[in-house]
């Protein structure tokens, strides 16, 4: 087999090797069924068992209270950007958006199609390099929406945003879902595309409080009503069976590794190694303010675009993939989600150290 390399992709991203191996073993036959995981009917006993186990694992690993439903939807987090306001925002109401990056911007833009939005806070004045300290809210908003981790800009809410308890809080957790403990009960809804921390692309995890499900109008397309998926255990239509299966395997891997607190500890340690190198470096500097730094996406620059390009090309020759920063920040971005091994972070720090030593006058 070709040697696997250090994959810093922002998503789809690296998956645990043991998960890939188990999936490979079940491609031809899921357990002793004689039918591969990709080939099982979603209505058959074997897949229903996989589904039920995965749903139970989301509840157990995430500490999801009984009054929440777990849904596995399609269309990515981008579909949630409009499905949420389509269900919960009407022309006569306002929804509040905490805008901390391009993904929250996109979510807010979609909401404007359905009603009024109010920008509770924004860090656009400094290219989204920080998490705002204060927010304001409109009177009686339908909900407040935030993005817990800003994949492109390398910032993350260190904890819950300062949203009053009486406002229904909705979180786009696409790039830090289950990377640390999360207070589900404080949210009305949490959603995330699986392809960074939970599995492959193709499935969006939605954790939604019971009372919201029936709030949505009934005259919108059936597939876009949350009640449709809640009533049918996410099987109103054919669900992304393989993606759900893989999420289940990843959740078992998280459980084996100490659950969310174990994963959080490891994620802290990985990010700290990288940031402490960058903080003492004379060549590289992190782009995010120190108190807003993401543990998932570490963004950094040399301050010289040509040199950044040289770093990326040398890194790629040395077996590090996906380090080029997003065009709106430039420089480098190391995405080190749950499954990214600590040894890969050590290897990157070593590489950057050597690069700096070889380019002293840069
Ligand atoms: N929100 C965040 C925070 C993201 O990082 C992304 C994708 N990178 C999205 C939303 C969009 O997700 P999808 O591609 O699943 O629609």
């Amino acid at each position: 087999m070709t040697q696997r390399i250090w994959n810093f992709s922002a998503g789809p991203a690296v998956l645990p090797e043991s998960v890939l191996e188990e999936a490979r073993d079940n491609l031809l036959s899921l357990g002793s069924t004689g039918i591969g995981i990709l080939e099982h009917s979603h209505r058959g006993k074997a897949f229903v068992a996989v589904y039920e186990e995965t749903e139970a694992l989301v509840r157990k690993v995430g500490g999801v209270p009984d009054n929440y439903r777990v849904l596995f939807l399609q269309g990515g987090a981008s579909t949630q950007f409009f499905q949420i306001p389509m269900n919960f925002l009407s022309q006569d109401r306002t929804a509040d958006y905490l805008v901390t990056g391009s993904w929250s911007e996109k979510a807010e833009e979609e909401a404007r199609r359905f009603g009024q939005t109010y920008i509770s806070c924004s860090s656009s004045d400094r290219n989204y390099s920080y998490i705002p300290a204060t927010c304001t809210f409109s009177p009686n908003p339908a909900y407040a929406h935030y993005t817990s981790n800003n994949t492109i800009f390398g910032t993350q809410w260190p904890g819950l945003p300062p949203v009053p308890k009486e406002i229904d809080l909705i979180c786009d957790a696409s790039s830090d879902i289950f990377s640390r403990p999360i207070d589900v009960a404080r949210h009305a809804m949490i959603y995330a595309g699986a392809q960074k921390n939970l599995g492959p692309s193709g499935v969006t995890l939605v954790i939604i409080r019971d009372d919201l499900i029936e709030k949505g109008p009934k005259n919108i397309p059936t597939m876009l009503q949350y009640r449709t998926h809640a009533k049918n255990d996410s099987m109103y239509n054919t669900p992304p069976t393989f993606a759900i299966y893989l999420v289940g395997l990843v959740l078992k891997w998280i459980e084996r590794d100490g659950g969310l607190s174990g994963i959080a500890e490891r994620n802290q340690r990985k990010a700290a190694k990288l940031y402490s190198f960058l903080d003492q470096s004379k060549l590289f500097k992190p782009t995010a303010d120190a108190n807003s730094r993401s543990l998932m996406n570490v963004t950094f620059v040399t301050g010289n675009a040509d040199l950044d390009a040289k770093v990326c090309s040398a890194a790629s020759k040395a077996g590090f993939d996906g380090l080029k920063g997003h065009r709106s920040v430039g420089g480098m971005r190391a995405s080190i989600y749950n499954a990214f091994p600590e040894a890969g972070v050590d290897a990157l720090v070593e590489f950057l150290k050597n690069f700096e030593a070889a380019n002293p006058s840069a």
Side-chain angles (χ1 to χ4, degrees):
M1 191 186 86
T2 307
Q3 177 79 29
R4 281 168 66 81
I5 61 172
W6 299 124
N7 173 12
F8 290 90
S9 165
V14 61
L15 287 163
E17 243 171 72
S18 62
V19 163
L20 296 174
E21 280 161 0
E22 188 170 345
R24 178 193 61 197
D25 292 348
N26 286 281
L27 275 184
L28 288 175
S29 172
L30 176 65
S32 57
T33 60
I35 297 173
I37 175 61
L38 290 161
E39 306 159 304
H40 271 284
S41 160
H42 60 294
R43 310 257 176 231
K45 230 164 97 179
F47 181 74
V48 170
V50 166
Y51 178 89
E52 285 173 353
E53 188 180 19
T54 306
E55 203 243 352
L57 279 160
V58 170
R59 291 188 172 280
K60 186 166 172 216
V61 171
V64 178
D66 289 346
N67 61 324
Y68 285 74
R69 289 300 302 267
V70 172
L71 308 176
F72 297 94
L73 306 186
Q74 297 180 71
S78 302
T79 293
Q80 294 308 306
F81 290 171
F82 70 85
Q83 191 172 353
I84 289 164
M86 186 182 248
N87 277 272
F88 308 130
L89 180 60
S90 45
Q91 286 294 337
D92 55 340
R93 291 203 71 182
T94 305
D96 293 2
Y97 280 77
L98 286 64
V99 181
T100 51
S102 318
W103 297 110
S104 10
E105 253 179 29
K106 286 202 167 88
E108 188 270 335
E109 276 164 27
E110 292 297 307
R112 268 189 255 150
R113 300 176 190 278
F114 300 94
Q116 287 206 340
T117 61
Y118 176 83
I119 308 292
S120 286
C121 58
S122 167
S123 48
S124 69
D125 60 330
R126 281 202 284 122
N127 200 30
Y128 296 120
S129 57
Y130 68 102
I131 295 294
T134 54
C135 306
T136 57
F137 299 91
S138 66
N140 193 25
Y143 59 84
H145 176 284
Y146 77 109
T147 313
S148 49
N149 183 76
N150 301 285
T151 325
I152 294 175
F153 298 93
T155 64
Q156 184 174 25
W157 285 90
L160 285 167
V163 177
K165 287 212 161 49
E166 59 276 13
I167 300 178
D168 275 339
L169 184 59
I170 298 184
C171 178
D172 172 4
S174 288
S175 53
D176 67 354
I177 183 91
F178 292 180
S179 67
R180 56 184 180 181
I182 180 164
D183 184 357
V184 176
R186 181 59 196 90
H187 294 83
M189 176 175 165
I190 297 166
Y191 66 97
Q195 65 268 24
K196 301 169 200 299
N197 265 324
L198 276 188
S201 58
V203 65
T204 312
L205 176 67
V206 169
I207 301 172
I208 180 168
R209 210 176 55 217
D210 284 341
D211 60 291
L212 259 75
I213 292 169
E214 282 306 325
K215 263 192 187 166
K218 291 189 169 157
N219 61 351
I220 57 177
T222 313
M223 279 291 287
L224 295 174
Q225 299 179 33
Y226 291 104
R227 67 173 64 77
T228 303
H229 303 287
K231 271 188 199 140
N232 293 282
D233 291 327
S234 307
M235 295 210 210
Y236 172 74
N237 72 324
T238 316
T241 53
F242 185 66
I244 293 171
Y245 164 73
L246 228 73
V247 168
L249 296 188
V250 170
L251 289 168
K252 278 189 232 173
W253 170 82
I254 293 178
E255 221 188 1
R256 279 199 302 274
D257 251 38
L260 295 193
S261 52
I263 279 280
E265 208 180 293
R266 243 194 21 217
N267 286 334
Q268 285 271 3
R269 204 168 57 230
K270 288 188 300 185
K273 280 183 172 175
L274 207 37
Y275 284 120
S276 59
F277 164 73
L278 295 171
D279 281 339
Q280 60 73 52
S281 166
K282 295 200 168 49
L283 180 61
F284 301 105
K285 77 170 197 325
T287 62
D289 283 9
N291 60 1
S292 305
R293 288 171 176 175
S294 167
L295 303 185
M296 302 279 96
N297 312 96
V298 178
T299 49
F300 56 102
V301 293
T302 63
N304 170 336
D306 292 338
L307 195 58
D308 288 344
K310 200 171 150 192
V311 175
C312 291
S313 114
S316 137
K317 283 193 193 104
F320 301 92
D321 194 69
L323 277 172
K324 191 172 184 309
H326 189 275
R327 64 189 175 283
S328 42
V329 182
M332 282 65 67
R333 169 175 57 174
S335 296
I336 49 171
Y337 302 119
N338 285 349
F340 191 90
E342 194 164 343
V345 174
D346 294 336
L348 177 63
V349 169
E350 198 53 34
F351 166 82
L352 294 173
K353 247 185 219 164
N354 292 337
F355 185 94
E356 185 166 353
N359 293 269
S361 57

